[in-house]
Amino acid sequence: MLKKLYRTIRLFPKRGREPYVSFYKILNFYPYNIMLYEQALLHKSSSIKLKDGRWINNERLEFLGDAILDAIVADIVFKEFEYKKEGFLTNMRSKIVQRETLNKLALNLGLDRLIKSSAKTGNHKTHMYGNALEALIGAIYLDQGYRIAKKFVHERLIVEHLNIETVAQQEVNFKSRLIEWSQKNKIPVEFRLIESFTDDNNNPIFYTAVDIYDFESGTGRGYSKKESQQRAAEEALDKINMDKEFLKEILILKEKESELPALEESPEENPSTDFTTNNETEKA
């Protein structure tokens, strides 16, 4: 209580000044640690080098905000839809936290006017706004705690800018979600058509698999390629979210893959030979 009062007193001279006013318009409260919020809107293309040599941007806050947002939305939909089953709740959370929704919410809040970025390609900007919103939620959590972060998500995002009943009726684009996960984690995903045929009523049937590295991670059937891909992607996402051993194997493969370039770039000569040659040159 005393700590909160002390913080409030310290904020008095800063109210009415920038950037506090800009953040207040978005948050509906004044930040305590303004640097966290400025970092949340600092794209990696405009990273800042600190005196200790570290480079900072919003990627770490985005990582934190992503996890906090998942927890908050799960909390909200669990209480909002009291009698719905797990599958419905999972789908609802996916619809709210998907990149397309977060991008729109970020634009509605006006984050695009505050983001600092030197990225020029449209590709970066596709995810920039949603990523910044996640980073902002991470900053709110660190600065104000879970309760205020949840209040921000519920009141400023869901109540003001989303009709939760309309969202419930929308379909989730599982393929887009899987590709988004793939790009964010730099893990290869491939959709592979296994077979296509016609059923007894002469309807076309497509059977698709999703490969993550060399693992067949999901399969799906449908009356179109798109439908079969959606079902395969849904199965793959369920496996990623539910099967901890599977995810662990994927992350191990990613780690091994990241080590390959370092091995390939190492000199062909034996390091011990180089060392001997250098010693001989020094003596000469």
Side-chain angles (χ1 to χ4, degrees):
M1 185 68 182
L2 288 174
K3 186 178 181 180
K4 185 177 180 180
L5 180 62
Y6 172 71
R7 285 177 166 182
T8 304
I9 292 171
R10 286 192 62 189
L11 275 175
F12 279 137
K14 298 171 183 176
R15 294 185 179 191
R17 298 182 184 178
E18 290 294 350
Y20 286 88
V21 173
S22 294
F23 279 114
Y24 181 83
K25 290 176 180 177
I26 291 172
L27 305 168
N28 273 354
F29 62 83
Y30 286 100
Y32 294 138
N33 184 354
I34 195 73
M35 293 177 65
L36 279 173
Y37 298 84
E38 290 176 331
Q39 183 180 341
L41 301 182
L42 185 64
H43 187 257
K44 64 180 178 181
S45 63
S46 295
S47 299
I48 294 175
K49 190 175 184 179
L50 301 179
K51 291 180 180 179
D52 61 6
R54 289 184 299 120
W55 289 86
I56 63 166
N57 52 52
N58 67 358
E59 288 188 326
R60 280 173 54 82
L61 284 172
E62 180 197 335
F63 164 79
L64 177 62
D66 179 43
I68 298 299
L69 180 61
D70 268 358
I72 289 172
V73 172
D75 191 349
I76 291 170
V77 299
F78 180 82
K79 292 170 182 173
E80 185 77 22
F81 301 97
E82 190 174 353
Y83 300 106
K84 294 293 185 180
K85 294 182 179 180
E86 180 192 1
F88 174 88
L89 299 177
T90 300
N91 285 343
M92 274 299 297
R93 182 178 61 184
S94 295
K95 293 171 188 177
I96 294 172
V97 303
Q98 66 182 341
R99 191 60 44 192
E100 183 181 353
T101 304
L102 295 182
N103 284 337
K104 289 179 181 177
L105 290 171
L107 291 171
N108 289 338
L109 287 174
L111 290 189
D112 54 311
R113 297 191 294 271
L114 296 179
I115 292 172
K116 293 182 180 178
S117 168
S118 58
K120 295 180 181 179
T121 63
N123 220 7
H124 280 103
K125 293 181 180 178
T126 303
H127 305 294
M128 185 188 301
Y129 305 130
N131 293 346
L133 179 56
E134 287 181 333
L136 185 68
I137 291 167
I140 295 170
Y141 171 73
L142 291 176
D143 185 50
Q144 303 276 335
Y146 179 83
R147 185 178 64 84
I148 299 299
K150 182 184 174 184
K151 184 178 179 182
F152 169 79
V153 171
H154 184 252
E155 294 182 3
R156 292 289 285 135
L157 301 185
I158 294 177
V159 173
E160 290 190 26
H161 299 292
L162 283 179
N163 184 323
I164 203 160
E165 294 298 333
T166 302
V167 172
Q169 296 170 14
Q170 293 174 350
E171 289 187 11
V172 181
N173 190 332
F174 293 106
K175 183 179 178 181
S176 292
R177 289 277 293 163
L178 183 61
I179 291 172
E180 180 186 314
W181 174 86
S182 164
Q183 292 173 344
K184 189 169 186 177
N185 293 283
K186 298 178 181 178
I187 292 174
V189 167
E190 181 182 353
F191 288 84
R192 174 169 48 87
L193 182 63
I194 297 176
E195 63 175 332
S196 60
F197 53 91
T198 55
D199 62 14
D200 295 337
N201 297 318
N202 210 32
N203 295 314
I205 303 293
F206 296 88
Y207 184 35
T208 296
V210 173
D211 294 332
I212 302 178
Y213 287 113
D214 293 329
F215 292 102
E216 186 177 287
S217 310
T219 58
R221 290 177 184 264
Y223 290 110
S224 66
K225 286 183 181 179
K226 183 177 179 180
E227 184 182 357
S228 67
Q229 289 174 347
Q230 285 288 344
R231 291 182 176 178
E234 182 179 7
E235 189 173 292
L237 285 168
D238 283 343
K239 196 166 186 178
I240 290 167
N241 292 325
M242 303 295 184
D243 191 337
K244 293 182 180 179
E245 286 301 316
F246 170 74
L247 184 59
K248 184 178 178 181
E249 289 181 29
I250 293 298
L251 294 176
I252 289 172
L253 282 174
K254 178 188 175 182
E255 190 175 343
K256 287 180 179 178
E257 186 181 59
S258 65
E259 291 172 355
L260 285 176
L263 293 173
E264 291 171 359
E265 291 172 8
S266 61
E268 294 180 2
E269 294 82 10
N270 190 314
S272 61
T273 306
D274 287 344
F275 182 75
T276 305
T277 304
N278 290 338
N279 280 347
E280 287 174 354
T281 304
E282 287 174 5
K283 288 178 182 177

